[in-house]
Amino acid sequence: SYELTQPPSVSVSPGQTASITCSGDNLGDKYACWYQQKPGQSPLLVIYHGRKRPSGIPERFSGSNSGNTATLTISGTQAMDEADYYCQAWDSSTVIFGGGTKLTVL
Amino acid sequence: QVQLVQSGAEVKKPGASVKVSCKASGDTFTSFDINWVRQATGQGLEWMGWMNPDSGNTGYSQKFQGRVTMTRNTSISTAYMELSSLRSDDTAVYFCARARAGTLPYYFDYWGQGTLVTVSS
């Protein structure tokens, strides 16, 4: 079955750039999306179609997709960006989530 | 604005069934698939399946095949997820989420607030 692999944790200093990766076979062809989830809240779509931002998502969130890796980049990271981030793709009529990455801003 | 509002928390005994509802508003109910995703405490997101409210067609994760049933009542724009033969490891928050039907890539632009289902004897 298809799998998506994310690092369990990423740390970043305020104002710096955070990059979170998501790996899977030919993921670049599947246009991964990304969700942000803060404690006690529902997930929030922050990137779809590999690199598109929904309305209301700050420009500091961007996505890229190449080969077997999708990357979520947060430029000028703020304290409010501390959260869990999940990638997601569609394969063989099935939705797959990555295991999630805890982003710590310190 | 688009909203998905779920039913309240449930406590069930092992072996029982639970039925969670998800009422949609703010957009055409039949234009979007309703998916169900669950999350155990401290764990990641786990996809359970999808239902198309227009056709009633469904697709379930292999893990839940035979135990989950997704239905809808279009007259009240409400989708339902029923999980049977509950076990303690089914204790989780269950989310409904919508995705535009029949298009790829497939992603969830709106989510419900979540429903805590606790399975305990």
Side-chain angles (χ1 to χ4, degrees):
Chain A
S1 62
Y2 194 80
E3 293 185 359
L4 295 175
T5 301
Q6 300 180 233
S9 62
V10 168
S11 297
V12 64
S13 299
Q16 299 303 302
T17 296
S19 294
I20 301 173
T21 58
C22 174
S23 301
D25 287 346
N26 297 315
L27 183 56
D29 296 336
K30 299 183 187 298
Y31 300 103
C33 62
W34 291 90
Y35 303 94
Q36 175 194 70
Q37 188 182 32
K38 296 181 179 180
Q41 296 184 15
S42 304
L44 173 70
L45 181 70
V46 293
I47 294 289
Y48 68 100
H49 212 288
R51 59 179 63 243
K52 296 183 179 180
R53 273 181 294 105
S55 173
I57 300 301
E59 289 184 9
R60 64 179 181 273
F61 288 87
S62 63
S64 62
N65 228 356
S66 180
N68 295 326
T69 303
T71 303
L72 173 69
T73 301
I74 309 172
S75 305
T77 307
Q78 300 183 10
M80 68 172 65
D81 300 328
E82 186 164 285
D84 294 326
Y85 290 85
Y86 295 90
C87 60
Q88 177 245 303
W90 170 269
D91 180 79
S92 301
S93 302
T94 299
V95 170
I96 303 99
F97 286 102
T101 298
K102 181 175 182 58
L103 177 67
T104 301
V105 182
L106 41 66
Chain B
Q1 75 283 19
V2 175
Q3 279 193 303
L4 299 176
V5 179
Q6 299 182 222
S7 49
E10 303 263 12
V11 179
K12 297 292 183 181
K13 293 193 182 303
S17 297
V18 69
K19 191 170 186 177
V20 180
S21 68
C22 172
K23 182 173 176 60
S25 62
D27 211 331
T28 305
F29 179 59
T30 51
S31 295
F32 297 87
D33 291 343
I34 295 294
N35 287 249
W36 292 87
V37 176
R38 76 177 189 180
Q39 185 173 39
T41 302
Q43 303 301 307
L45 302 173
E46 182 174 35
W47 179 74
M48 300 178 70
W50 62 267
M51 181 206 59
N52 181 279
D54 187 26
S55 62
N57 289 344
T58 56
Y60 302 141
S61 165
Q62 211 165 355
K63 176 175 178 176
F64 299 101
Q65 198 87 30
R67 262 202 327 139
V68 70
T69 305
M70 296 178 188
T71 57
R72 88 290 193 207
N73 182 335
T74 55
S75 67
I76 56 172
S77 300
T78 299
Y80 303 92
M81 185 283 299
E82 184 169 22
L83 188 63
S84 62
S85 303
L86 290 170
R87 308 183 288 257
S88 58
D89 62 358
D90 290 318
T91 295
V93 175
Y94 290 75
F95 296 100
C96 62
R98 78 165 202 181
R100 188 166 289 279
T103 62
L104 291 177
Y106 200 73
Y107 56 88
F108 306 132
D109 58 355
Y110 287 93
W111 294 66
Q113 83 275 19
T115 296
L116 175 62
V117 175
T118 303
V119 183
S120 173
S121 55

